[in-house]
Amino acid sequence: MKLLQERILKDARIREGGIIKVDSFLNHQMDIPFINEIGREFYRLFKDDNVTKILTVEASGIGIACLTAQYFNVPVVFAKKTQTKNLDPEVYTSKVTSYTHGRDYIIRVFKRYLSDSDRILIIDDFLAKGMAIIGLADIINQAGATLVGAGVCIEKAFQSGGREIRDRGIRLESLAKVDIDENNKIIFR
Amino acid sequence: MKLLQERILKDARIREGGIIKVDSFLNHQMDIPFINEIGREFYRLFKDDNVTKILTVEASGIGIACLTAQYFNVPVVFAKKTQTKNLDPEVYTSKVTSYTHGRDYIIRVFKRYLSDSDRILIIDDFLAKGMAIIGLADIINQAGATLVGAGVCIEKAFQSGGREIRDRGIRLESLAKVDIDENNKIIFR
C-alpha cells in the first residue's frame, strides 16, 4: 500500500534491535483519516470473504480493527491479555510469547463471542514473530470458527512471523513488508 | 443517551460488587455502528470546543475514541499502562490506582504527542472511581495543554468518580448514569 509506505518513510524511526517506531501515526498517536484508508484497503482485500467478525488483541490493534470493521459492517472482538491462566470455563485462552517484552502472556476471549458459524478476519498493527496471530488463530480453531485470513499493517520481513503464518496455510495480507538495510534505512520488499 | 440506556437494559449483566458487564457490545465485543452513534453524541456535546486531540487510555477506551475522533477529524492518543515508572525524559507519567484490579499502575504518554496549544477531550468507556480520568488530566496539565472535558459512556453513579471529577472543575459528560437498586436491577439517574 503506497500511502502506508510513504508514511513509514516519512515518519518511522528505527531503534536498535530492528525496532520500528510508528507511534506518531499508528499505535500511540493515531492518525484517524489515515487509518481509515488502511481499513478501506483491508476491505478491498477481504471484501469477498463473507467476514462476520474482526478479531484483534489489545491494545494497539483495537483502533485499526474498529475503523476497518466499519467497511465490513461487522463487530470487533478484542482478545484481552493477562498474566494468569485461570480456568474459567467461559473463555478460550492461548499462550503467546512476546519477544518485544520478553515474556509470555495469555490471551482470552469469551466463548460467547465466537461461534462455529463465524468467518473471522484477524487485524493487527505489526507482524514480527507472528505469535499474537498464531494465538488468535488457535482461539478461532478452538471455537470451530473459520479463519478467513489475517491483515497486518506492517510486516517485519526480516523476522520469521510471515513465513510461519503462511506455512500454516493462513492467508496473510501485509500492507507494507519492511526490511532494514545495512545503513539502518527502511526498504520495502 | 436513550439508545445507550436501552442497550444497557437489554444486554448488560450485573455481577457481585456492583460490576456492570457490557462486554457484549462495548468493551470486549464491540458493536461498531452502535459505538459510532456514541461518537456522534460526543461530537454533539463537544463540537463547539475546538478539540484538537482525543486522549484515552488502553485498552477499552481506544475503539470508542477512534470512532469518536472521526467526527472531530482529530488524532487519538492513547496512554499506555505499565507497572514500572522508569525515568524516561521523553514521557509524561501519572500513577493510577485501579480498584477493579486492586493495584496501581503508571500511565505514559510521549511528550511529543501533546503540546501546550492542544485542546484535549478525554474519552473512556467507564467511570467508577475516576482514577484513570484524573491521571489523564494530570498528564494534560503537565503538558500545559487545555482539557476541554471528559466524555464517558457509562458513569457508575453510586461510586465517587463523577463527583471527584466535577469537583475539580472538569466538564464531565456521561451518556448514561447508572445505579443498581436493592433488587440488583439497573436504574438510570
Side-chain angles (χ1 to χ4, degrees):
Chain A
M1 189 192 184
K2 192 151 183 294
L3 191 70
L4 178 56
Q5 289 189 352
E6 290 169 353
R7 188 63 178 268
I8 291 168
L9 290 177
K10 181 168 161 276
D11 288 332
R13 291 166 294 128
I14 312 292
R15 291 281 177 273
E16 266 180 74
I19 305 281
I20 301 166
K21 300 288 279 182
V22 289
D23 55 16
S24 67
F25 61 95
L26 194 66
N27 55 16
H28 179 29
Q29 180 167 254
M30 304 182 69
D31 178 337
I32 301 300
F34 175 77
I35 296 170
N36 246 322
E37 291 306 311
I38 284 177
R40 192 192 303 271
E41 179 67 6
F42 284 135
Y43 181 67
R44 190 184 69 76
L45 291 164
F46 290 101
K47 69 179 182 317
D48 298 324
D49 293 285
N50 301 312
V51 171
T52 63
K53 206 160 271 186
I54 290 178
L55 183 64
T56 188
V57 60
E58 66 179 22
S60 50
I62 297 174
I64 301 162
C66 286
L67 295 172
T68 299
Q70 297 181 112
Y71 294 94
F72 291 91
N73 201 23
V74 299
V76 168
V77 173
F78 63 89
K80 304 196 176 201
K81 291 177 184 170
T82 60
Q83 294 292 322
T84 52
K85 182 166 188 160
N86 64 4
L87 294 168
D88 183 340
E90 292 188 8
V91 302
Y92 298 116
T93 62
S94 190
K95 194 173 91 169
V96 173
T97 300
S98 169
Y99 292 90
T100 316
H101 300 103
R103 61 158 189 258
D104 293 343
Y105 57 91
I106 305 290
I107 57 174
R108 301 157 47 96
V109 176
F110 263 102
K111 290 184 178 177
R112 67 171 68 92
Y113 302 132
L114 298 177
S115 85
D116 58 8
S117 61
D118 271 322
R119 295 177 56 80
I120 297 175
L121 171 62
I122 294 172
I123 292 288
D124 211 354
D125 57 340
F126 256 98
L127 172 64
K129 298 274 188 177
M131 302 312 282
I133 289 177
I134 289 167
L136 293 172
D138 176 33
I139 282 176
I140 291 166
N141 187 49
Q142 292 175 49
T146 303
L147 172 55
V148 161
V152 301
C153 299
I154 300 174
E155 176 179 342
K156 293 163 109 172
F158 53 94
Q159 293 199 347
S160 60
R163 198 184 60 240
E164 292 253 5
I165 288 165
R166 292 182 180 100
D167 281 352
R168 288 164 190 247
I170 296 169
R171 177 179 169 200
L172 172 64
E173 300 281 357
S174 305
L175 302 189
K177 288 185 195 171
V178 170
D179 226 331
I180 299 177
D181 72 9
E182 61 274 22
N183 301 314
N184 232 17
K185 292 283 179 198
I186 285 173
I187 50 174
F188 297 103
R189 288 219 185 147
Chain B
M1 188 192 183
K2 195 154 182 291
L3 190 70
L4 178 57
Q5 290 190 351
E6 289 169 352
R7 189 64 177 267
I8 291 168
L9 290 177
K10 180 167 159 279
D11 288 331
R13 289 166 296 129
I14 311 294
R15 291 279 175 276
E16 266 180 75
I19 305 283
I20 301 167
K21 300 289 279 183
V22 289
D23 56 16
S24 67
F25 62 96
L26 194 65
N27 54 16
H28 179 29
Q29 180 167 255
M30 302 182 69
D31 179 337
I32 303 298
F34 174 78
I35 295 169
N36 245 323
E37 291 305 312
I38 284 176
R40 190 193 305 272
E41 179 68 6
F42 284 134
Y43 181 66
R44 190 183 69 78
L45 291 164
F46 290 101
K47 69 179 183 321
D48 297 326
D49 294 284
N50 302 311
V51 172
T52 63
K53 205 159 271 188
I54 289 178
L55 183 64
T56 187
V57 62
E58 66 178 20
S60 50
I62 296 173
I64 301 161
C66 286
L67 295 172
T68 300
Q70 297 180 112
Y71 294 94
F72 290 91
N73 202 24
V74 299
V76 168
V77 174
F78 63 89
K80 304 196 176 202
K81 292 177 184 171
T82 60
Q83 294 293 320
T84 52
K85 182 164 189 163
N86 63 4
L87 295 169
D88 183 339
E90 292 188 8
V91 303
Y92 298 116
T93 61
S94 189
K95 194 173 90 169
V96 172
T97 300
S98 168
Y99 291 89
T100 316
H101 299 105
R103 61 160 189 256
D104 292 344
Y105 57 91
I106 305 291
I107 57 174
R108 299 158 48 96
V109 176
F110 263 103
K111 289 183 179 177
R112 68 171 70 91
Y113 302 132
L114 298 177
S115 86
D116 58 7
S117 61
D118 271 322
R119 295 177 55 81
I120 297 175
L121 171 62
I122 294 172
I123 293 289
D124 210 354
D125 57 339
F126 256 97
L127 172 64
K129 297 274 188 177
M131 302 312 283
I133 289 177
I134 289 167
L136 293 171
D138 175 34
I139 282 176
I140 291 166
N141 188 48
Q142 292 175 49
T146 302
L147 172 55
V148 160
V152 299
C153 299
I154 301 174
E155 177 180 341
K156 294 163 107 172
F158 53 94
Q159 293 197 348
S160 60
R163 197 184 59 240
E164 292 254 4
I165 289 165
R166 292 180 180 102
D167 281 353
R168 287 162 192 248
I170 296 170
R171 178 182 168 198
L172 171 63
E173 300 281 357
S174 305
L175 303 190
K177 289 186 195 169
V178 170
D179 226 329
I180 298 177
D181 73 9
E182 63 272 19
N183 302 314
N184 231 18
K185 293 283 180 199
I186 285 173
I187 51 174
F188 297 103
R189 285 216 189 150

